[in-house]
């Protein structure tokens, strides 16, 4: 529609002519909506509300007398309220580029003032503190001209050829370099240790592989040797069993031959020796009986007769022993027992004969010189 004007979202529309605006301003402020403006009678101008930028590069002297070149960037804009728009419109509406120039000058002055109260170390290490103080000190002055500052960034601080900042950073550089060297050394050491560990692992793996291969080879060799020795070992074992059987057979034959020799030679010889011993014992008994008969006159004839018959009795008994196959269990003691039995048998027979005949009556005739009575002889069946 003809005469209807609408400002952009980042603009304020200033209408001059007609009645005055806020606070007696020579124009009315319209933002965010349109307004019907009479042509010829009203004049419309637009003030930017967008963000503006100003750069500062100022040489400042610190509290220590060190000259520094400080570069900063200020982001600012016209305030959104009517009073700020009126203040900015009255000052910059005809030349809005002057807002950046004036803002840069204002901040340059405050920057020199604040840096003059600080040391180089504070400025370098506390840049945010410097920016905050500059903003606080310039806020009131900027508000008077209708501007507000969004941010202030210190881009660089340069001491020129004095080398103060570099000297100040030397210990830190040295510490950083030392830390870097230590880190590099540690990294190198770790790399070397890792390589050594890898080498040790490789060597251990090679050793284990060699051990396994050696054990496998030894196992194969043992199996081959066992297979090669199986035939000779089996043959030797069989021969050993044959020799053992032959040895056992020979021992059995030797024992049998020993028993045969005992039966054929030893036992007959022992029987003959026992027979001779029995004869000697009978002869001794005969001599004893003769002695006793000589001491007892009354029984001379009977004892004489019995004495004459005793060798015959023993001889008959021993004759049966000579051809007998006597098994002697306890050696010479057994033979002694047999001989004593025969003698005892003879004595038993002698006692029996004496009991059956009784004691002979005495005669008036004297015994003959050979010891026999005149009445005749006694027969033993």
């Amino acid at each position: 529609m003809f005469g209807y004007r609408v400002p952009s979202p980042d603009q304020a529309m200033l209408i001059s002519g007609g009645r005055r605006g806020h606070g007696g301003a020579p124009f009315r402020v319209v933002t965010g909506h349109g307004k019907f403006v009479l042509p010829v009678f009203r004049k419309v101008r637009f003030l930017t509300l967008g963000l503006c930028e100003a750069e500062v590069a100022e040489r400042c002297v610190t509290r220590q007398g060190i000259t520094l070149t400080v570069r900063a960037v200020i982001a600012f804009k016209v305030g959104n309220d009517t009073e700020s728009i009126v203040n900015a419109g009255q000052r910059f509406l005809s030349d809005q580029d002057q807002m950046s120039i004036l803002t840069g000058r204002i901040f340059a002055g405050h920057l020199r003032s604040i840096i003059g109260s600080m040391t180089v170390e504070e400025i370098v290490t506390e840049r945010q503190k410097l920016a905050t103080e500059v903003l606080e000190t310039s806020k009131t002055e900027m508000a008077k001209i209708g501007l507000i500052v969004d941010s202030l960034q210190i881009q660089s601080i340069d001491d020129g050829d004095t080398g103060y900042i570099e000297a100040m950073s030397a210990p830190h550089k040295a510490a950083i370099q030392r830390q870097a060297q230590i880190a590099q050394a540690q990294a190198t050491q770790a790399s070397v240790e890792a390589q050594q560990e890898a080498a040790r692992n490789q060597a251990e793996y090679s050793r284990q592989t060699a051990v396994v291969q050696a054990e496998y080879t030894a196992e194969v060799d043992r199996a081959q040797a066992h297979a090669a020795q199986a035939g000779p070992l089996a043959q030797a074992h069989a021969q050993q069993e044959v020799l053992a059987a032959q040895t056992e057979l020979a021992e059995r034959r030797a024992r049998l031959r020993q028993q045969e020799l005992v039966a054929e030679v030893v036992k007959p010889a022992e029987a003959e020796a026992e027979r001779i011993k029995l004869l000697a014992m009978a002869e001794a008994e005969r001599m004893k009986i003769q002695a006793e008969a000589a001491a007892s006159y009354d029984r001379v004839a009977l004892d004489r007769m019995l004495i004459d018959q005793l060798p015959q009795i023993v001889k008959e008994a021993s004759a049966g022993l000579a051809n007998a196959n006597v098994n002697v269990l306890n050696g010479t003691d057994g033979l002694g027992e047999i001989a004593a039995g025969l003698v005892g048998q003879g004595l038993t027979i002698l006692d029996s004969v004496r009991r059956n005949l009784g004691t002979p009556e005495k005669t008036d005739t004297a015994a003959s010189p050979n010891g026999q009575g005149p009445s005749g002889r006694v027969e033993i069946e």
Side-chain angles (χ1 to χ4, degrees), residues 6 15 59 73 94-95 106 160 193 210 261 276 301 305 312 323:
V6 180
I15 304 173
R59 291 175 62 85
V73 176
S94 59
D95 189 2
I106 292 173
E193 290 178 353
L261 291 175
I276 295 172
M305 179 187 62
Q312 185 64 29
N323 295 322

Side-chain angles (χ1 to χ4, degrees), residues 59 94 99 105 112 167 294 366:
R59 291 175 62 85
S94 59
M99 289 189 295
R105 290 175 180 176
R112 286 194 302 269

